[in-house]
Every structure is written in structure tokens, then in C-alpha cells.
Amino acid sequence: MNDKRVHGKIQDPNKRINNFDEVELGFTHEEALMEANRCLQCKNPRCVTGCPVNIRIPEFIKCIKEDNVKGAYEVISEDSSLPSVCGRVCPQERQCEGSCIKGIKGDAISIGALERYVADEAIKNGYFEIKDVKKNGKKVAIVGSGPAGITCASELVKNGFDVTIYEVLHKTGGVLTYGIPEFRLPKEIVKKEVDNLIRLGVKIITDTPVGNQFTIEELRKEYDAVFLATGAGIPKFMGIEGENANQVFSANEILTRVNLMGSYKSEASTPVKKGHIAYVIGGGNVAMDAVRTLRRLGYEAHLMYRRGEEELPARRLEVSHAKEEGVIFDLLRNPVKILTDENNNVTGMEVIKMSLSDVGSDGRKNIEKIENSNYNVKCDMVVMALGTLPNHEALKESDIELSDKGLIVVDNTKTSLDNVYAGGDATSGSATVILAMEAGKNAAKEIKNNLLNIKE
Ligand code: FAD
Ligand code: SF4
Ligand code: SF4
């Protein structure tokens, strides 16, 4: 019997490098049914343990098999407030699908694509339901409207809390809105899932920098608890010569300008497209998003990474999509200097070749510079995608405990300040959407138990 995984359609690479429309088009009804029918409905489903928020996967897949998509949505939404998002961007191959029993000898079930199918149908057909909840009289403030903040808010409001989210930007969604590009995660989808929060009664106040407009101490006086979900938005740089030149950016800046300020349009006030050859330095998902964005803006777009292809931390799928789109991979290379003209504009980079040696104590192969292998490349833009650190704006005038790396220290989700909780990238460093959601869910549980004196 043919037991190959069903694949949804994807946009043709030659067309998609000229637009920002979604690359993966998702399952049709027939494709979803075919894929759902491959699931074995395991009694002890390993896939559920692989999902950080423990979605009851076989149950929702069974509903799809029975043509009950609304029922499937009800099952999923008991554990996730962002299923359309997670179906698209979760690293499923390391989580639910990585644990699926069918993956041992063949193709794992396409759980992410099925989840996306159900959640998109729910948006299209208005399946989201608001249940009456008795208010418990407790007020919680959440700082940050990314996946950690959204999930915590959703769990708390469903349990009768009065919840207000404060967000510094003019749009909600955190990295989902300003970081991940439209061609992987349409902003309309994020908006629809955030709108559900507002329908549940969560108040969202945008354009409000906590730490600047008011402090955590002031929030503590007004609310029974505060959840800090401020992410990790400060980019790292290499510290090499020439890095302060014009046209050297962080990946976050490029992506934010494109996502939030429409900078891909030539008439934009801060257009990103000014040259012809761009190099993105790094090998993770953020690097891949930045280089694929630049490719769509018409650049000869290079990805420079100091290790080899096998070591690229980005998802395999993103790597293969980038290759199809004509991104050039310069592997085992590292910039040592950014070259500039008399006006401090980027003209190129001095690069050194690298080699891989034995596996080090961190389980990764060590890398070494190859002496005298330096050479120059021409380019007019360099984009650093080397990871990010937490932003401490919200923590001004507070003596909250931080780790050596500047992360907020938590015991599960409790910080060193009474009734102040934290989670997501602000406590873990840059991680994933679903891990931020898991933290938001855990924080909601701790807040509920503490404020309502529930013993477990
Ligand atoms: P964030 O999403 O960063 O949200 C924090 C929010 O807090 C922001 O809206 C910020 O504006 C707000 N804020 C900060 N300071 C203040 C303040 N002082 N006052 C008020 N508001 C404040 N993960 C995946 O699982 N899959 C992917 O494919 C993926 N791709 C990614 C691509 C990019 C380009 C990036 C940058 C990250 C990607 N990630 C991906 C990682 C993932 O998006 C993050 O781990 C996740 O968004 C973290 O959620 P969070 O809620 O902790 O923080
Ligand atoms: Fe898989 Fe992510 Fe959905 Fe969990 S939330 S089932 S890990 S796609
Ligand atoms: Fe279905 Fe795989 Fe989960 Fe088994 S482990 S229930 S086959 S998705």
C-alpha cells in the first residue's frame, strides 16, 4: 500500500521570488482527508508528548476523518490559542511529527499541515465560540503581545480574570507580526487569531512602552499580578571593523521595516532596496527569513555561514525553499572586515575560509579559521542574523533578578518579585513560538493557583 505523506501545493519558485504571498498553500479538503486517514489513532500517542502544549492530536485527526472539522477545531483550541500560526511555523519535525510512530519506518503524519487546515477552516467559517465566564474579580497586566503574552491572556480570561495587555508597538503579535515574513505567515492570520482574544474580553493597549510610560512597580500597585512577556528583540553584532557602515543592518531591522513599514515598496519612506548584492550572516531561521526577503526585493542574496550545510540550524524546509528561490549559500566562510568607501557605504567584505574539526563538548563540530585563506567579496548590504538578547526597557527602576546572560530569572514562571511572572524569549533567550506559548500557559496556571489559593 502506498503510504506516502500527502503534500499540499506550493507556489512556483520563479513566481514567488517576485511576491510576498504565502509559499505553502495548505491542504485542500481531499488532501486533508487523505492525510488524516494515514493516522493510526495510537492508544498511547507519542505525537502528543512531542507537542509542548499537548494538543490531543489523534482526537482532532479522528474528527477530520469523520468530516467534523468544527469538532477538530474545538479539540485543538482547548490547548492552543494560535493553531493557524503553529500549523505553519512550529518546528514540527522536532516536535509532534518528530515523535510520530509512523516516522520510524516511513513518513510521519503531517500534523502541522492538518492543524493549519482545521484552523484556517475555522477562521473561514467562524467556528470560534465565546463561552460565558464568571468573573473572579482579579486583574492581571501582561507586558508584550507575542505568543507568550497572547497565550497567558487567553488562558486567564477563560478563567474569569480581567486581563490587559500592554504592547510597545502599534501592532500586536510580537515576532509573529514584525519578524516572520508574510510569505511564511500571513499577517491577516495573526490578526484573526489575536482578534479572538479581544472577543474573549482581553484589553490590548498598543503604543505603550512599559518602563518608559510607567514602571512595573506602578503596574504591581494597580494589578493583582503582572506577566512579563517582552521577548528578546535586541540583535547581536560581530564586533568587526566596518560594522557601523551605512547599509549594515540587523535581520530584525530589515524584517521589521518590511513587515511593519511596507519597506518593500519603492514609494516607502524607508525603502530597503538600495543596491544589488546582499550578504546575510548566520544560519538560523531568522537568517533564512532575511535572505529570502532580500531575494524577493531583487537582490543577489547570499547566506554566509561559518559551518557547513549539515550544521545549519534553520529548518530543512526553509533551506530547501531558499535554494529553490536562488539564494546563494556561502558555507564555511566568515566575514572578518566590512569594506567601505569614503562615504562609509558598504562596498564589500573581507572573508576568511573555515574548516570543521572534531565534535566539541557542546556536541557541535569545532570550527577553525584556515590561515591565509582571506579574500574579498563585493556587496552593497550586509545583514547580521546572529541571535538576539532580551530588551530591558520594561524592567527600568525594578531590581528584578537577571542571569549573567541578561535573561529574567524564573522559578517555573515566578520572578524574584512578588506577583511578577515572566516567560517566553525574555526568560529563555530566542527560542520558538510554541515554547513561548507553553511558558504563557504555565504562567497562567501559576497566577491562577496563587491568586485563587488553589492547591494542586
Ligand atoms: P515576542 O514574540 O518577541 O513578543 C514580545 C513582545 O513584547 C513584542 O511585541 C514587543 O514589542 C513587546 N515588548 C517588548 N518590550 C516591551 C515593553 N517595554 N513594553 C511593552 N511591550 C514590550 N519560532 C518558531 O517556532 N518558528 C519559526 O519559524 C520562527 N521563525 C522566526 C523568525 C524570526 C525572524 C524571528 C525573529 C523569530 C522566529 N521564531 C520562530 C522565534 C519566535 O518567533 C519567538 O521565539 C517567539 O515569538 C517568542 O515569543 P515571546 O512572546 O516570548 O516574544
Ligand atoms: Fe505540532 Fe506545534 Fe501543533 Fe503542537 S502546536 S501539534 S508541536 S504543530
Ligand atoms: Fe497518529 Fe502518529 Fe499520533 Fe500515532 S503517533 S496517533 S500515527 S499522529
Side-chain angles (χ1 to χ4, degrees):
M1 182 182 132
N2 178 11
D3 192 30
K4 287 270 171 239
R5 154 190 275 233
V6 179
H7 289 279
K9 302 232 169 356
I10 66 167
Q11 233 203 109
D12 182 306
N14 294 319
K15 284 203 184 127
R16 70 182 193 240
I17 57 163
N18 297 312
N19 66 51
F20 276 79
D21 297 342
E22 200 169 9
V23 171
E24 307 245 3
L25 303 179
F27 280 158
T28 59
H29 180 69
E30 292 68 32
E31 286 165 345
L33 268 181
M34 261 159 44
E35 186 61 7
N37 277 315
R38 292 181 58 237
C39 171
L40 301 173
Q41 293 293 307
C42 306
K43 289 272 174 302
N44 293 309
R46 296 158 40 121
C47 52
V48 178
T49 342
C51 167
V53 294
N54 302 126
I55 289 181
R56 302 193 319 272
I57 295 163
E59 242 175 272
F60 95 71
I61 295 183
K62 183 162 179 276
C63 290
I64 302 178
K65 281 186 184 190
E66 292 164 354
D67 219 358
N68 176 11
V69 181
K70 187 165 188 275
Y73 179 68
E74 279 160 10
V75 173
I76 296 173
S77 39
E78 271 180 38
D79 295 297
S80 170
S81 44
L82 294 168
S84 262
V85 170
C86 292
R88 287 171 164 84
V89 306
C90 257
Q92 292 109 8
E93 64 284 6
R94 284 193 266 130
Q95 297 177 337
C96 52
E97 295 177 15
S99 304
C100 170
I101 190 100
K102 295 212 51 149
I104 296 175
K105 286 197 180 154
D107 289 349
I109 302 295
S110 228
I111 301 167
L114 287 173
E115 182 175 327
R116 167 191 167 155
Y117 168 75
V118 170
D120 285 1
E121 285 297 302
I123 291 176
K124 226 187 287 166
N125 300 308
Y127 291 156
F128 184 76
E129 276 177 10
I130 301 162
K131 297 193 178 115
D132 279 342
V133 179
K134 199 164 165 275
K135 290 275 183 192
N136 62 29
K138 302 284 183 194
K139 286 165 67 181
V140 180
I142 295 180
V143 188
S145 68
I150 291 173
T151 307
C152 185
S154 161
E155 295 289 316
L156 289 173
V157 78
K158 285 182 195 161
N159 280 284
F161 289 83
D162 187 336
V163 184
T164 306
I165 299 183
Y166 293 94
E167 168 57 54
V168 61
L169 296 175
H170 63 289
K171 285 200 177 162
T172 49
V175 170
L176 307 180
T177 301
Y178 78 75
I180 304 180
E182 178 80 16
F183 56 83
R184 279 212 297 130
L185 179 62
K187 301 310 145 208
E188 196 50 32
I189 292 287
V190 182
K191 186 178 174 304
K192 288 270 165 46
E193 296 207 321
V194 174
D195 282 350
N196 286 341
L197 263 195
I198 299 170
R199 291 169 63 200
L200 286 171
V202 173
K203 284 194 253 356
I204 306 185
I205 305 179
T206 52
D207 296 306
T208 306
V210 173
N212 203 323
Q213 208 139 322
F214 37 78
T215 62
I216 300 180
E217 277 316 307
E218 287 168 298
L219 285 181
R220 283 174 85 191
K221 283 186 195 135
E222 197 182 331
Y223 293 88
D224 297 292
V226 177
F227 177 55
L228 300 173
T230 44
I234 303 281
K236 290 186 200 164
F237 284 86
M238 293 185 81
I240 57 175
E241 197 182 326
E243 226 172 2
N244 64 355
N246 304 323
Q247 302 295 312
V248 177
F249 297 97
S250 70
N252 269 24
E253 181 176 346
I254 292 290
L255 292 167
T256 305
R257 281 168 58 168
V258 170
N259 280 326
L260 286 189
M261 296 157 77
S263 298
Y264 51 91
K265 298 176 200 145
S266 54
E267 68 273 21
S269 54
T270 57
V272 169
K273 176 77 171 89
K274 281 196 173 155
H276 304 284
I277 306 175
Y279 276 80
V280 174
I281 317 299
N285 287 321
V286 179
M288 223 52 76
D289 281 346
V291 79
R292 293 176 67 201
T293 295
L294 293 171
R295 185 76 191 111
R296 281 163 172 74
L297 293 175
Y299 278 95
E300 175 187 305
H302 292 251
L303 184 114
M304 182 168 283
Y305 180 54
R306 60 196 181 140
R307 296 171 194 266
E309 174 148 2
E310 253 180 55
E311 289 76 35
L312 279 168
R315 292 181 72 188
R316 295 295 112 188
L317 185 73
E318 306 305 331
V319 175
S320 75
H321 281 169
K323 283 186 176 172
E324 286 167 6
E325 290 162 9
V327 168
I328 302 164
F329 283 69
D330 295 293
L331 301 170
L332 292 166
R333 302 281 187 275
N334 214 20
V336 287
K337 184 175 171 185
I338 293 168
L339 310 171
T340 54
D341 64 13
E342 62 286 1
N343 297 319
N344 204 26
N345 289 319
V346 171
T347 56
M349 291 191 297
E350 183 183 327
V351 173
I352 192 162
K353 294 184 184 172
M354 312 290 288
S355 70
L356 290 172
S357 56
D358 302 338
V359 176
S361 55
D362 59 357
R364 301 174 81 192
K365 282 187 186 156
N366 288 320
I367 40 171
E368 282 165 14
K369 290 177 184 164
I370 303 178
E371 290 305 322
N372 301 321
S373 64
N374 301 37
Y375 65 102
N376 290 352
V377 294
K378 279 191 185 160
C379 62
D380 22 48
M381 182 189 276
V382 178
V383 176
M384 299 293 177
L386 307 164
T388 50
L389 296 167
N391 170 355
H392 293 153
E393 183 78 13
L395 311 179
K396 269 191 198 158
E397 293 177 36
S398 96
D399 52 4
I400 199 164
E401 189 185 346
L402 298 176
S403 73
D404 298 347
K405 291 184 177 158
L407 304 170
I408 302 174
V409 173
V410 279
D411 176 5
N412 189 16
T413 61
K414 275 186 186 167
T415 70
S416 57
L417 302 178
D418 280 346
N419 288 328
V420 179
Y421 301 77
D425 283 4
T427 59
S428 62
S430 39
T432 62
V433 172
I434 195 69
L435 290 177
M437 288 174 66
E438 183 188 26
K441 206 170 171 179
N442 289 342
K445 193 170 167 197
E446 276 207 289
I447 292 171
K448 180 177 141 197
N449 289 351
N450 289 341
L451 293 186
L452 305 182
N453 288 320
I454 299 170
K455 299 261 178 297
E456 287 198 338

